[in-house]
Amino acid sequence: MKPHPAWSSLRNPVKFRIPTADNLVPIRLDIDIDGQRFRDTFTWNPSDPDSDVILFAKRTVKDLKLPPAFVTQIAQSIQSQLTEFRSFEGQDMYTGEKIVPIKLDLRVNHTLIKDQFLWDLNNFESDPEEFARIFCEDLGVEDPEVGPAIAFAIREQLCEIAIQSVASAKETRINKKGRRGAEHLPLSKPGGSALDTLKLFGNKSSVIRKRREWDLYEPIVDMLSNEEVDALEAREA
Amino acid sequence: MATSSGGGATPLKPPAQPPKSIPELTPTSQNQKLQPLELSPNPITPPNLTSAPPIPTADSKQPTTPATVNSRPREPDFDVIHVPSYSRWFSWNDIHECEVRILPEFFDGKSPSKTPKVYKYYRNAIVKRFRDSIIENPPSKENPMPKITFTEARKSIIGDVGSVRKVFDFLEAWGLVNYFGSPLTKAQLKWEDKESKNVSAASQQNSDNGGANSVGDASVPKKKFCSSCNSLCTIACFSNIKKDTTFCARCYVRAGVNSADFKRVEISEEVKTDWTEKETLHLLEAVMHYGDDWKKVSEHVVGRSEKECVDRFIKLPFGEQFTGPPDSIEPEENVHKAMDRFDIESNPSKKMRLTPFDDASNPILAQAAFLSTLAGVEVAETAASAAVKALTEVNIETSKEILESSAGDARDHDSVTTNGKSNTNLLEGAYLEAKLQLEKEEQDLERTISDIAEVQIVRFEELELQMEREWQQLRQMQNLLFADQLTLLFHKKDGNESMEQKVKTELS
């Protein structure tokens, strides 16, 4: 194959950020104190002052009537995720021509969502929130908590991928320093999907998805009954 | 983000019947006017309204709140949505300027995820959620104030939780969510939301609060239980004299209280000991002698800690007065100037109106509010405006300094140093000079313009003369031409005549 044009954009590293219109950090909380479990996911704005973290933790504990030991735990968890995110922030990441598949597989209260679609990492104007909102509207999802969960899932995956690309950028730099003419091997993993699309489009095949792949990419929204919900929760716990 | 769709695409529509236009409730002794927006024969309505049964008011700013009716069209009784009068600006589709003021981060364009559109989406989503939850669980006996929690709200809103929390706090503080309209419930304005811009508004609130809260210590010490949360009141509690209910401090704060009916009762003092007359006397003496040194005061008053002395002192009824602004304060320049005005204007025998500063997170502002409650509303306002004026004068000072520096270097040093001591004469001199120079320049300008204009005019006159001459020439030429034509005609005629004669002669 000819040298992939995707890698031409490797020359231009971009400052690390989540490739969405607003730079929000997905935060996942999973705290277990004395047998009481608190799981939650939400998005946080890293430019908010850190004092907000404590305020938020206190508020949440108060609202949900959790024991006060949760406050510090929650705050700590949020802080550590934030600092981790910030540690990546100054660095470069190579995005390349990355169109990545995003998979949704989540259960919110009684609604089960399964979906898969492609997302362009280079599109810094992308908006998972908007996507989630339209998703819920179009598919008639009534539970208002589903929207944020979808947005969060997308954001989380994007964040992971962005972190990976930073990591890989570091590796290539090290490699370059180490050996001349090193191949961009570490990139092949996250660049896997990019290769796919190139193959797709490069071979003059149509942009329309093949029929056998339709099922794969179709969104599925299921409503569960109470027993199923209980069963699933028992399994997760 | 759901934006104007909040008004349009939701299944809520304005009611079929036009809102009745009946005058608003006349202001009662309460400071907050209630604005129930729909008629409610529903017995669930809190029966505690001191005024007449709620009259439907036409509030054009809330076209969609009656729409909560339509979500359950079969029900004959509507839900009352109460909004305190200080929040009546709220409308689904607009953003009011006080929202811009209080939550500026959404409107300054610094963050792409905080735009007015997003703000509106958050706000409308939260309010809608609250109102929906009211419909689902209307206020009942067991749960007279079914509130929504922030966590509930943010779980269903797509966006970053920090901003959602701020919007939620704002809405709660202003009574747009978790407000139930009976005199028992009024949202407390939180200090951290109200920066210096709202000092006067807040001081009004606080002075009203304080007016009710003073004088609350005469009751017999007895165990007090909070009527809402059934917990023993330990530190302080608030009892509603009229309704004979008691709230503990937590419920009071959480519920929000209409201050006119609630009096603060210090439990700790009463549980431990009552202040006897003697002790009060001692206290007053001590304060007179030692002023602010509460350590000495507490020593003078046997058996009371500093805190107790302070508490007792600030709760003393009518007739007591502070001897002056406490020296321990270190206010900013503003407040200094404000205090100067206080001393001039304040009436020394003012009734003390103080408020519990539950969350005075900013100590300076707490002091400012404290002082402003001492002085009263109008004084506080004038003081604030005077302080602002003084600040602007300082600004003018600095700009005049700049002016002066352009005028002359030598004078600069002096003027800078003397201006620093607010020497107004030099200021005025500088100002006048600047004005003079301006005028001079203007005059120069005028002169040059008129010169140029004159020159142009002169040239125009010349041109006009020329034109006249040419016109005359043309006319002359015209005349000549006419004459020529005439002669030609004559000649023609002559020619014809002679031709005729010739022909005649030839013929004959």
Side-chain angles (χ1 to χ4, degrees), chain B residues 100-131:
Chain B
V100 180
R101 228 179 333 128
I102 297 177
L103 297 168
E105 61 206 3
F106 287 98
F107 302 97
D108 57 15
K110 285 201 196 134
S111 167
S113 63
K114 295 188 180 177
T115 64
K117 208 170 126 192
V118 167
Y119 166 73
K120 219 201 304 193
Y121 163 65
Y122 289 165
R123 177 193 74 176
N124 290 356
I126 296 176
V127 178
K128 189 160 160 295
R129 179 135 177 133
F130 172 65
R131 293 186 180 170

Side-chain angles (χ1 to χ4, degrees), chain B residues 136-150:
Chain B
E136 286 172 31
N137 328 331
S140 58
K141 275 244 157 167
E142 309 88 48
N143 189 6
M145 294 182 296
K147 302 190 170 182
I148 57 168
T149 58
F150 158 66

Side-chain angles (χ1 to χ4, degrees), chain A residues 21-24 29 38-45 47-49 51-52 55-56 59-65 127-130 132-133 136-137 144-149 151, chain B residues 1-3 5 9 105 111-114 117-118 121-122 129 148-166 168-169 172 178 190 192 250 254:
Chain A
D22 31 7
N23 199 16
L24 301 178
L29 293 178
F38 173 62
R39 301 184 71 195
D40 200 2
T41 54
F42 50 85
T43 42
W44 187 271
N45 190 336
S47 52
D48 273 349
S51 53
D52 278 2
L55 282 173
F56 173 78
R59 200 64 183 272
T60 309
V61 167
K62 187 176 94 165
D63 286 345
L64 295 172
K65 302 194 176 43
D127 195 353
E129 276 78 28
E130 189 70 22
R133 192 182 71 79
C136 294
E137 247 180 68
E145 295 187 15
V146 173
Chain B
M1 308 286 170
T3 59
S5 63
E105 61 206 3
S111 167
S113 63
K114 295 188 180 177
K117 208 170 126 192
V118 167
Y121 163 65
Y122 289 165
R129 179 135 177 133
I148 57 168
T149 58
F150 158 66
T151 309
E152 241 181 274
R154 66 107 170 139
K155 276 201 199 279
S156 58
I157 293 176
I158 305 174
D160 84 281
V161 293
S163 353
V164 176
R165 182 182 64 82
K166 290 192 188 123
F168 187 87
D169 285 343
E172 192 164 21
N178 291 346
K190 285 198 196 283
E192 56 193 353
R250 282 187 104 202
R254 222 185 263 168

